[in-house]
Amino acid sequence: MPTVIIQKGRDIPLKGRASAELKALPLPSECIFPFLDFAPRQFRLLIKEGDKVLVGSPIAEDREHPGLVLVSPVSGAVKHVNRGDKRALLSITLSTDGQQTPVQHQKFSPESLIALSREAVMEQLLKGGVWPFLRQRPFSRTANPLNTPKSIFVRAMNTDPLAPDLDVILNGVEREFQAGLDVLKRLTPGNVYLCFDAKAKARALTGASHVESVAFSGPHPAGNVGTHIHHCDPVGKGDVVWFMEAQDVVRAGRLFLDGVFYPSRIIAVTGEGASLRSHVKTVLGASVAYVLGDKKDDALRYISGSVLSGSDVGYDGGVGLFDAQVTVIPAGGARKFFGWLMPMFKDYSFSRTVASALAPQRDVSLDTEVHGGLRAVVVNDLYDELNAIDVMTYFLIKAIYGHQIEEMIRLGILECAPEDFALATFACPSKVDVGAVIQRGLDMIEKEG
Amino acid sequence: MGNDLIRKAMDDLGKNFSKGKPLEKLHPLYEAIDGFLFTSGAIARKAPFVRDAWDLKRVMVIVVLALIPSTLFGIFNAGYQAQNALGLAHAWPDAVLRGLQIVLPVIFVSYAVGGFWEVLFACVRKHEINEGFFVTGLLFALTLPPHIPLWQVAAGVSFGVVVGKEIFGGTGMNIVNPALAGRAFLFFAYPAQMSGEAVWYGVDGVTRATPLATMASVPAGTTGVAALHQAGYTWSQLFYGFIPGSIGETSKLACLIGLAFLLITGVASWRIIAGCVAGLVSVASLIGFLHVKTVHPVLPFEWHLVLGGFAFGAIFMATDPVSASATRLGRWIYGFLIGALVVFIRTFNPAYPEAVMLSILLMNIFAPMIDHYVVEGHINRRTPRAQAK
């Protein structure tokens, strides 16, 4: 098995790691199904407020691909549909009945999966509601059922700050995980790359077959899917690859073995603001408040996902459908007198311009303060030190600012997603949101073909 | 808490600068002072939610700190040279006092006039005042002869800030180093005051050629080193800086202390500086080795290293990341060519003895081209996979 050693990048030693203990939470009384996680796809609702749903009942279908449905993770009733501007679907709130009665689909034996036809696999994934968990690069979005990807990546590692432990997540699901890998294999003429941490112990990973196993080691972003794709099978103009999170591979496996939509999700509760930090098993769409079990505190920020790539859903928001982590950190934002002139013994920086760089930092406490105003890029050799994809970030940014689409593609923007530049944004002294610029470039390419 | 009182006073003051209020147009000025006194307190609204503690202000403060040894020595040396020329006591307290009288006005005018342009452009363009000027203002002053007329300081810094930087869009967008652009403007506009033998002492009738000027007029049959010795210059004098010259450049030791600070903090690109030294050493050695016919006498590289503004330029000017090459390989090439050009100009050019300023400015202009070829090389390496199919 090959091991890819990532040299560039850096780990942020954030305080508040989750313990390896796994707690099963009881079923919440409500869950939130967020449609924005699938942006820019647009959905048409198949249910209305008050309707009864089962686990796996279709609740919305894609406007472009009518067969592509999102399904309910709980059995119960539709409580509320939340719409935004121009009646855009934001989320729906479902109340649970505690039964978790599933919609039954066809079952397959583990041995038969490897011989299934591509069409049969696609049909079951689409009908069973697991398809939306399959995403694509370039452009990081739900996989288009009309494409055939040149390869499929299973992301079974995470190097984000305080990331969930895949050994905990994949403990005891070897059979389901392998079944998921087998069905993914039917979707591509190329390889299924199983990318995991070189230190991983889970038997689901070390014993996986029918796939190309690739171990990665090194600092963040060694665990980003963009890094994996870049080092195994990079995407160029006209290429499409698909990827799926390891937990969702288990979901795919169960859909075929048990014939039902598996609604569970293991989430790491992390960050110094969370009082009980461990891995918890709950259903998709559980709210942050429910997962935390803490009281609301306005001095804290509630992030679904990691501090680098998550989203601020708030205390009452639902955990993102692709997130296996909740991070709670202090909001911060007090204005400090002559802050920039102080030696900074406590402030964390990748640079060596602060006094705290004199000693190694462990368990650092970070809040959401930006620490400065937006400026033109001056320190222009920093970004590439923090990116495991071989692109010249500074010149890519320039090409995007200059609307040079051909140049962006030549510089490799199609391999990139905003999350791959999170560390660059973190470290930029001009406080440029590098990921947002990359997203702008990707949007330009999509719009202008 | 005193800080809270100041914070409240600033907030009250700030109301006068908000939209629709009489001082609205000066909002960037208020913002700059506010941002000078207090950290911004802004919060990340989307991922990444945590950010590094440093900002551009911090970077600039580090560079200013790195310039402090050169500034202090420059103050001392300006006074020391002047006291010497007048035949007065040149013990260090006298020299420092005299030096402060000479140098502080130059630094003050540089900051005041340059700062005026910064604020004006920020107010007109409605953007924040960029702290890059902390560095430019001091850097420019340190490149000047100590006894320069103050109106020339004002003219030079105006040219540097306005033409060298602001017309391109401000810090981060400039093509050449603004401090050097101002210096070059003065060099060509007022050559009598900027070089020659009379400008270094500020005392009528007292003249002495700087080491570089000495090199420009060596009698036939004398080697360069002998000529410098005849003029009373030893290598260690040039290294420690007890010689006439521009305020900040004379002491190579002070520059090296600054360099150490820049490298420890990781603010300056060591590749550029190493490239400069490599270029200078290899071309100087090559010329010495080949015995080519030169306009000025050939000097061994160890003399070139301590001569003129090379150390100051390579450490503080060439490393400006905005006007330098932005690629790794490009930085080596850019630095190497600066070092090489310095020796070429010093040895072959009959007109200007001071080569560092011109070399860096020229390479500033060429930096985008160097980067272009480095980036094209990178793209060609990527192409097989980026354009596969």
Side-chain angles (χ1 to χ4, degrees):
Chain A
M1 178 185 65
T3 300
V4 179
I5 298 163
I6 300 297
Q7 310 273 4
K8 292 181 173 180
R10 200 144 160 189
D11 289 321
I12 300 174
L14 197 62
K15 195 166 152 184
R17 186 162 284 285
S19 71
E21 186 191 357
L22 177 63
K23 285 186 226 162
L25 297 181
L27 192 70
S29 61
E30 268 180 26
C31 87
I32 301 157
F33 194 95
F35 293 100
L36 293 180
D37 285 8
F38 302 97
R41 279 194 181 276
Q42 302 211 330
F43 292 91
R44 181 167 56 236
L45 274 188
L46 299 173
I47 38 88
K48 54 186 186 304
E49 283 177 19
D51 282 3
K52 292 261 178 283
V53 290
L54 301 177
V55 175
S57 300
I59 50 179
E61 76 178 343
D62 187 88
R63 285 180 186 277
E64 262 178 73
H65 300 281
L68 203 172
V69 294
L70 303 175
V71 301
S72 166
V74 294
S75 68
V78 179
K79 194 174 168 196
H80 184 62
V81 178
N82 308 305
R83 290 182 184 272
D85 291 345
K86 298 184 189 162
R87 289 183 43 81
L89 263 181
L90 299 180
S91 63
I92 60 174
T93 310
L94 301 159
S95 62
T96 58
D97 61 8
Q99 306 299 317
Q100 288 300 75
T101 324
V103 175
Q104 194 65 47
H105 301 283
Q106 195 185 348
K107 286 186 194 181
F108 298 85
S109 71
E111 302 75 39
S112 65
L113 294 176
I114 203 73
L116 282 179
S117 71
R118 184 171 195 265
E119 289 67 33
V121 169
M122 284 183 64
E123 195 195 330
Q124 179 97 344
L125 286 175
L126 283 165
K127 236 174 30 193
V130 176
W131 188 277
F133 294 92
L134 200 50
R135 286 177 290 171
Q136 68 157 64
R137 282 281 178 103
F139 306 119
S140 288
R141 64 188 46 170
T142 317
N144 185 337
L146 301 179
N147 288 342
T148 305
K150 65 170 182 161
S151 50
I152 296 180
F153 286 79
V154 172
R155 180 192 183 225
M157 71 182 290
N158 192 334
T159 48
D160 276 38
L162 309 177
D165 185 345
L166 266 292
D167 286 347
V168 173
I169 289 174
L170 295 178
N171 185 25
V173 290
E174 292 78 14
R175 193 169 142 268
E176 294 81 357
F177 189 70
Q178 183 60 50
L181 295 176
D182 287 343
V183 299
L184 290 182
K185 184 77 182 96
R186 307 311 305 149
L187 296 175
T188 174
N191 283 321
V192 170
Y193 291 95
L194 174 60
C195 302
F196 54 86
D197 194 311
K199 293 195 288 286
K201 289 184 206 73
R203 277 197 301 127
L205 297 172
T206 53
S209 49
H210 309 135
V211 291
E212 289 291 308
S213 292
V214 186
F216 282 78
S217 74
H220 186 70
N224 277 12
V225 72
T227 307
H228 300 159
I229 297 170
H230 177 76
H231 287 276
C232 297
D233 192 10
V235 285
K237 213 171 171 177
D239 290 338
V240 177
V241 302
W242 289 351
F243 64 95
M244 200 183 239
E245 297 281 338
Q247 280 208 60
D248 300 322
V249 175
V250 174
R251 202 179 315 284
R254 292 209 182 219
L255 178 65
F256 284 80
L257 295 180
D258 306 342
V260 295
F261 180 79
Y262 178 64
S264 292
R265 161 73 89 195
I266 294 172
I267 293 166
V269 179
T270 67
E272 61 177 295
S275 53
L276 297 166
R277 294 188 288 267
S278 69
H279 290 70
V280 298
K281 187 173 185 178
T282 180
V283 289
L284 286 165
S287 72
V288 171
Y290 186 76
V291 169
L292 285 176
D294 290 339
K295 282 218 177 67
K296 187 174 181 178
D297 183 345
D298 286 332
L300 297 174
R301 292 287 289 280
Y302 297 93
I303 299 159
S304 169
S306 78
V307 289
L308 287 182
S309 58
S311 44
D312 181 3
V313 294
Y315 179 77
D316 300 314
V319 180
L321 293 186
F322 296 105
D323 294 329
Q325 180 181 8
V326 166
T327 312
V328 188
I329 57 170
R335 301 194 63 182
K336 294 186 209 73
F337 193 54
F338 274 111
W340 53 275
L341 202 55
M342 297 296 153
M344 301 198 190
F345 284 104
K346 288 206 172 129
D347 304 72
Y348 183 72
S349 173
F350 283 176
S351 78
R352 298 191 299 268
T353 62
V354 295
S356 64
L358 293 170
Q361 297 267 295
R362 251 175 273 123
D363 284 341
V364 292
S365 164
L366 290 174
D367 57 30
T368 63
E369 200 180 326
V370 179
H371 300 285
L374 183 67
R375 298 287 186 274
V377 178
V378 169
V379 183
N380 47 24
D381 56 351
L382 176 80
Y383 304 146
D384 292 348
E385 302 295 316
L386 298 169
N387 188 347
I389 299 177
D390 182 24
V391 290
M392 297 186 116
T393 313
Y394 176 62
F395 294 92
L396 183 53
I397 291 178
K398 277 186 156 181
I400 294 169
Y401 277 128
H403 289 259
Q404 298 166 294
I405 289 184
E406 206 43 50
E407 184 79 357
M408 291 178 217
I409 295 174
R410 292 174 73 218
L411 283 164
I413 193 172
L414 294 176
E415 291 196 56
C416 304
E419 65 183 32
D420 298 322
F421 296 87
L423 282 177
T425 306
F426 171 84
C428 179
S430 298
K431 308 297 171 187
V432 172
D433 189 342
V434 183
V437 179
I438 298 292
Q439 185 61 55
R440 237 168 72 194
L442 288 168
D443 291 346
M444 267 181 234
I445 292 174
E446 279 227 290
K447 214 164 142 196
E448 300 180 25
Chain B
M1 279 285 288
N3 297 353
D4 293 342
L5 281 178
I6 301 172
R7 182 63 253 156
K8 197 178 167 304
M10 283 304 290
D11 285 339
D12 290 344
L13 191 65
K15 286 173 194 149
N16 299 320
F17 295 90
S18 53
K19 245 197 157 77
K21 288 288 162 59
L23 296 174
E24 182 193 337
K25 282 210 157 61
L26 288 176
H27 190 259
L29 182 63
Y30 166 76
E31 206 172 45
I33 295 168
D34 191 42
F36 183 77
L37 293 175
F38 289 92
T39 57
S40 78
I43 274 178
R45 297 281 162 206
K46 54 195 211 79
F49 290 99
V50 292
R51 303 294 175 89
D52 201 300
W54 77 337
D55 65 350
L56 213 51
K57 245 187 223 109
R58 189 76 178 177
V59 177
M60 298 304 172
V61 167
I62 296 288
V63 182
V64 169
L65 287 176
L67 283 167
I68 294 290
S70 293
T71 310
L72 293 179
F73 185 85
I75 288 170
F76 164 77
N77 191 46
Y80 174 79
Q81 299 289 341
Q83 295 283 88
N84 241 352
L86 291 167
L88 297 170
H90 53 257
W92 72 266
D94 304 294
V96 168
L97 273 182
R98 168 66 64 131
L100 284 172
Q101 289 170 22
I102 300 168
V103 174
L104 281 190
V106 175
I107 296 178
F108 177 78
V109 170
S110 173
Y111 269 128
V113 176
F116 163 77
W117 288 113
E118 286 285 332
V119 172
L120 183 70
F121 272 89
C123 290
V124 171
R125 287 213 189 104
K126 299 189 171 51
H127 65 59
E128 292 183 39
I129 292 172
N130 207 304
E131 33 297 279
F133 186 69
F134 284 136
V135 173
T136 310
L138 185 57
L139 212 47
F140 175 72
L142 294 183
T143 63
L144 299 174
H147 298 281
I148 182 172
L150 293 180
W151 64 268
Q152 286 186 6
V153 179
V157 78
S158 299
F159 184 90
V161 170
V162 176
V163 180
K165 185 167 76 173
E166 290 300 342
I167 60 171
F168 295 105
T171 302
M173 328 265 186
N174 46 304
I175 292 171
V176 298
N177 186 316
L180 268 188
R183 179 66 170 82
F185 169 77
L186 291 182
F187 180 83
F188 289 107
Y190 311 104
Q193 283 91 349
M194 294 305 287
S195 45
E197 303 192 346
V199 301
W200 308 104
Y201 294 100
V203 182
D204 282 344
V206 178
T207 65
R208 186 186 180 195
T210 60
L212 272 174
T214 307
M215 290 307 299
S217 52
V218 176
T222 317
T223 68
V225 177
L228 283 170
H229 279 154
Q230 264 171 27
Y233 293 115
T234 64
W235 190 89
S236 58
Q237 269 183 346
L238 296 189
F239 178 74
Y240 291 115
F242 298 98
I243 49 166
S246 293
I247 298 167
E249 50 127 58
T250 60
S251 174
K252 315 311 174 287
L253 179 65
C255 292
L256 285 179
I257 296 170
L259 170 67
F261 190 62
L262 288 178
L263 292 184
I264 290 168
T265 51
V267 164
S269 162
W270 61 270
R271 290 186 182 85
I272 293 176
I273 300 167
C276 286
V277 174
L280 179 132
V281 169
S282 37
V283 173
S285 311
L286 197 69
I287 288 174
F289 181 72
L290 293 178
H291 295 290
V292 281
K293 190 173 165 3
T294 59
V295 176
H296 302 300
V298 173
L299 273 181
F301 68 82
E302 68 270 21
W303 283 85
H304 273 295
L305 284 174
V306 294
L307 211 53
F310 176 75
F312 189 80
I315 294 167
F316 297 111
M317 295 287 195
T319 49
D320 166 18
V322 177
S323 53
S325 274
T327 54
R328 271 190 182 188
L329 177 63
R331 287 186 166 177
W332 278 108
I333 300 170
Y334 162 88
F336 188 91
L337 289 176
I338 287 175
L341 271 174
V342 166
V343 182
F344 275 121
I345 297 177
R346 282 178 181 174
T347 321
F348 293 103
N349 185 315
Y352 316 115
E354 181 46 88
V356 176
M357 171 184 82
L358 298 172
S359 309
I360 296 176
L361 283 174
L362 190 66
M363 290 318 298
N364 280 170
I365 310 268
F366 277 104
M369 196 175 88
I370 299 173
D371 279 342
H372 173 76
Y373 286 108
V374 175
V375 172
E376 284 300 309
H378 168 85
I379 289 173
N380 288 338
R381 235 175 339 107
R382 306 185 52 92
T383 306
R385 54 163 201 259
Q387 314 250 306
K389 287 183 201 173

